Amino acid sequence: MTLTLMPPTTSDVRPEPPDRRPPADFDRLAARCVSPRAALAYDAEILDRVSWRDMADHGLWRLGVPTALGGDGGTWLDLAEALADVARGGGDLGFTLSLIAHAGFVRALVEHGTAWHHRTVLPSLLKGAVGATALTETQGGSDVARIQTRARADDDGWVLSGAKDHITNAPVADRALILARVPELGRRDITLFVVNLHSPGVRRGDPEQLLGLRTSPTGPLYLDDVRLPAEAVLGRPGDGLSTLYDIISFDRALYGLVAAAYLEPRLDEVVRYTQERHAFGSPIIDHQYVQGRLTDIRIAIEVSRALALAGIDALVRRDPQASLRCSVAKLLGSEGLVESAQNLMRLRGHLGYMRGDTTRDLQDALGTLIAGGTSEMQRKNILNQMLSNRER
Ligand SMILES: Cc1cc2nc3c(=O)[nH]c(=O)nc-3n(C[C@H](O)[C@H](O)[C@H](O)COP(=O)(O)OP(=O)(O)OC[C@H]3O[C@@H](n4cnc5c(N)ncnc54)[C@H](O)[C@@H]3O)c2cc1C
């Protein structure tokens, strides 16, 4: 039988949207920029602002944003895949988590913002300003409904007072999404505000000293009668929690996608190591227990990636299962990352326990069990979503 290759018909050829620029290769860009700077940034415990600027200059933040709002007209999946590329090529989990915090803010503004947000806040976030999302307070992060930060309306807009803790990017961020109560609204009072962190009344505390993720500075924010314009509310006053659940769902799915991408080159390296290291007369990769650890890492990668993509796809389609799927992706992504980081260490024996890249991976991975909501909180959300989806 002879197969003839037919030229594509016009219906086979999908035209590029007119304003869409070809996306940069973020894997290679991160290998060139983020990776060589990661160790220095880690020792100095700082966000790598040079790489941050480079990512913005190459259009990272424009990827999921509609052209009418200054973006490239892609979907959130385009942005998610680019972030996975940065995790893979840059090999700096802290830097990638700082990017995730910013990504959630950008999406929040696009999906829930008004023309005012799109005109006055979004452009700077697309061009290299740093964003943060501030929910947690000293008295607790899991139960966000207990927050104490308050906003009151006055003639010119809002006055915000309170304090936030453990906020990714807070020591360096320019803008933040801040969760606060508006007591005059009554029982349903939790509201999201977009805040310029260079405003009078905003103070930052010292960066926190963490076990890992040292390239992702976290810290407190103090808000002393910070005056905000009336337009600063994101979503409707009193609807902060429901808007928030949509916003954090994207971040949660990104944790899963990034965990998988971060592990890929590490798995390649450790496979090579087990082929070269010998014990009992053969390379250690010949031993079944070693093979088990290697395949467990591969399974964690496959599971995390597939679940994260399912979560993001559900979010893009506004599927009612989106929040549940994103929590599943976060839960299995971060737990799989920690288990895999342990496997990477065990496979190298004593060398894996010596302070270096492998111990840093493990320390960094542990932070993902807490940031973005603990595994217990993901399970709680999964059950809540199961029950509410049944009622629909
Ligand atoms: C690296 C890092 C970055 C972070 N970045 C940010 C950020 O950008 N913005 C932000 O707002 N916050 C951020 N956080 C804070 C994080 O969201 C909170 O630490 C997290 O939500 C847990 O809150 P908590 O530490 O107050 O623990 P708690 O809420 O006090 O919980 C303590 C323990 O009790 C468990 N628990 C609580 N309630 C229940 C329950 N009902 N059922 C079962 N178990 C329960 C928890 O799972 C946890 O194991 C960050 C944290 C880390 C580590």
Side-chain angles (χ1 to χ4, degrees):
M1 190 176 70
T2 320
L3 282 176
T4 318
L5 277 180
M6 299 294 289
T9 64
T10 44
S11 62
D12 294 330
V13 180
R14 284 217 202 132
E16 280 286 300
D19 285 322
R20 195 152 174 192
R21 282 154 270 192
D25 179 346
F26 284 98
D27 195 325
R28 252 199 244 160
L29 182 65
R32 222 176 46 227
C33 186
V34 180
S35 172
R37 305 171 59 82
L40 272 178
Y42 202 84
D43 289 344
E45 303 197 18
I46 52 168
L47 179 70
D48 173 5
R49 292 299 290 264
V50 172
S51 297
W52 187 280
R53 168 69 60 184
D54 216 17
M55 297 293 140
D57 288 348
H58 282 83
L60 177 64
W61 304 119
R62 293 197 306 267
L63 288 173
V65 177
T67 49
L69 301 183
D72 287 352
T75 71
W76 299 117
L77 190 56
D78 296 320
L79 173 58
E81 288 288 17
L83 291 171
D85 284 348
V86 176
R88 193 181 299 107
D92 182 343
L93 193 62
F95 182 74
T96 315
L97 294 199
S98 276
L99 293 176
I100 289 180
H102 185 91
F105 192 6
V106 169
R107 178 176 170 274
L109 289 177
V110 170
E111 296 285 324
H112 302 282
T114 59
W116 184 85
H117 296 115
H118 296 158
R119 198 177 59 249
T120 60
V121 188
L122 186 61
S124 66
L125 292 184
L126 300 188
K127 285 191 191 124
V130 179
T133 300
L135 321 173
T136 305
E137 300 184 1
T138 311
Q139 70 276 9
S142 302
D143 187 0
V144 283
R146 283 181 61 222
I147 54 162
Q148 299 294 317
T149 297
R150 279 173 160 61
R152 64 183 158 80
D154 79 353
D155 291 345
D156 299 326
W158 302 94
V159 182
L160 190 65
S161 303
K164 297 287 176 182
D165 250 345
H166 318 316
I167 308 305
T168 299
N169 296 341
V172 293
D174 301 292
R175 298 278 193 283
L177 197 52
I178 294 187
L179 197 67
R181 321 197 83 91
V182 180
E184 63 214 67
L185 289 174
R187 267 192 74 224
R188 202 180 154 93
D189 64 342
I190 296 189
T191 303
L192 278 164
F193 293 89
V194 176
V195 179
N196 180 342
L197 296 180
H198 303 293
S199 306
V202 177
R203 280 186 302 121
R204 300 152 206 260
D206 290 336
E208 293 163 347
Q209 297 200 318
L210 304 182
L211 175 66
L213 297 173
R214 295 182 193 170
T215 50
S216 177
T218 68
L221 284 174
Y222 304 106
L223 309 154
D224 302 321
D225 287 340
V226 180
R227 307 195 80 84
L228 307 175
E231 298 91 339
V233 171
L234 189 81
R236 281 204 304 264
D239 273 356
L241 281 184
S242 53
T243 311
L244 181 69
Y245 284 125
D246 172 65
I247 294 169
I248 58 178
S249 289
F250 186 49
D251 295 33
R252 287 173 171 174
L254 288 177
Y255 271 78
L257 199 65
V258 153
Y262 186 74
L263 285 170
E264 280 172 29
R266 280 153 181 72
L267 177 57
D268 291 344
E269 272 171 34
V270 85
V271 166
R272 270 196 299 279
Y273 178 81
T274 58
Q275 287 166 330
E276 286 159 13
R277 181 91 177 169
H278 282 69
F280 299 96
S282 61
I284 59 172
I285 196 170
D286 289 352
H287 303 300
Q288 275 192 3
Y289 290 128
V290 169
Q291 293 167 3
R293 292 197 190 281
L294 295 173
T295 50
D296 281 354
I297 300 173
R298 186 74 231 171
I299 290 165
I301 291 172
E302 295 296 329
V303 167
S304 303
R305 183 170 164 80
L307 292 173
L309 290 176
I312 296 165
D313 177 60
L315 268 183
V316 169
R317 290 187 293 102
R318 301 182 199 282
D319 184 319
Q321 303 283 348
S323 173
L324 181 151
R325 294 214 170 121
C326 293
S327 272
V328 174
K330 162 68 172 63
L331 173 65
L332 294 188
S334 56
E335 297 282 353
L337 180 62
V338 171
E339 200 187 312
S340 299
Q342 273 200 44
N343 277 329
L344 290 171
M345 186 189 76
R346 292 172 190 237
L347 285 163
R348 292 179 196 272
H350 184 275
L351 291 178
Y353 191 62
M354 287 174 72
R355 239 184 291 162
D357 290 351
T358 309
T359 51
R360 197 190 87 175
D361 284 342
L362 186 53
Q363 289 176 326
D364 286 357
L366 285 168
T368 69
L369 295 178
I370 300 163
T374 63
S375 295
E376 291 79 9
M377 288 305 103
Q378 306 310 327
R379 285 184 189 279
K380 191 167 182 301
N381 186 43
I382 292 164
L383 186 74
N384 289 343
Q385 296 299 320
M386 281 163 53
L387 300 179
S388 71
N389 287 339
R390 261 164 43 121
E391 282 161 17
R392 279 203 180 96

